[in-house]
């Protein structure tokens, strides 16, 4: 299902379409997932198979950027459409946040927009 124009207008955080090896983990379970997009506020992934995710429990997504560099984001699944899972960001460590900020900055090309999004987090 595509986003409507009004959804895009209300969006405070720019989505970055990005392809990276990613893993979704919850408790002792882990699934390889396809990252569809990411923002400072959350992400959208797709599972290859139906994943039994507890939507009331925190989960972690690890996004491998190359070498030892990765972004780890904790959050809750806020929506599911088929095998696509939308997760909000409930926590991210400083090093991961710096990698995420750089990724967003490189893809936006507008430092003022990035600063506005960072302020919206607080």
């Amino acid at each position: 299902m595509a986003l409507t124009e009004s959804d895009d207008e209300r969006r405070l955080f720019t989505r970055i379409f990005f392809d990276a090896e990613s893993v979704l983990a919850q408790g002792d379970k882990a699934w390889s997932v396809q990252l569809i997009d990411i923002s400072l506020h959350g992400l959208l992934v797709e599972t290859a198979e139906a994943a039994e995710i507890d939507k009331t429990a925190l989960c972690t997504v690890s996004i491998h950027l190359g070498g030892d560099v990765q972004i780890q984001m904790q959050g809750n699944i806020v929506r599911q459409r088929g095998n696509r899972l939308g997760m909000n960001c409930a926590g991210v460590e400083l090093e991961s946040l710096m990698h995420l900020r750089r990724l967003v900055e490189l893809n936006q090309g507008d430092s003022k927009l990035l600063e506005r999004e960072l302020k919206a987090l607080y």
Side-chain angles (χ1 to χ4, degrees):
M1 180 176 187
L3 293 175
T4 65
E5 188 173 348
S6 61
D7 289 334
D8 288 335
E9 290 172 3
R10 288 182 293 188
R11 190 169 304 285
L12 293 175
F13 300 94
T14 304
R15 288 178 162 191
I16 306 300
F17 295 98
F18 194 73
D19 182 22
E21 179 184 337
S22 304
V23 175
L24 172 73
Q26 188 177 62
D28 61 351
K29 295 182 181 180
W31 301 269
S32 179
V33 295
Q34 176 69 40
L35 179 66
I36 297 170
D37 64 47
I38 189 168
S39 75
L40 293 174
H41 192 251
L43 50 81
L44 180 65
V45 297
E46 185 168 25
T47 62
E49 56 190 53
E52 295 179 22
I53 305 284
D54 179 358
K55 293 185 184 85
T56 63
L58 210 59
C59 55
T60 300
V61 173
S62 300
I63 303 156
H64 305 281
L65 301 176
D68 292 339
V69 180
Q70 67 178 343
I71 296 170
Q72 285 195 337
M73 184 182 291
Q74 294 79 38
N76 295 300
I77 303 300
V78 293
R79 74 184 153 280
Q80 181 173 3
R81 291 188 184 131
N83 287 354
R84 288 190 172 195
L85 305 168
M87 185 180 96
N88 71 341
C89 179
V92 62
E93 293 181 8
L94 182 59
E95 187 174 342
S96 289
L97 181 60
M98 293 181 69
H99 293 309
L100 178 56
R101 177 187 173 148
R102 184 70 178 144
L103 180 67
V104 171
E105 184 178 40
L106 289 172
N107 282 277
Q108 281 181 337
D110 184 349
S111 61
K112 289 180 184 178
L113 182 58
L114 174 63
E115 292 304 318
R116 181 195 65 137
E117 290 185 15
L118 288 169
K119 288 178 184 177
L121 287 173
Y122 301 102

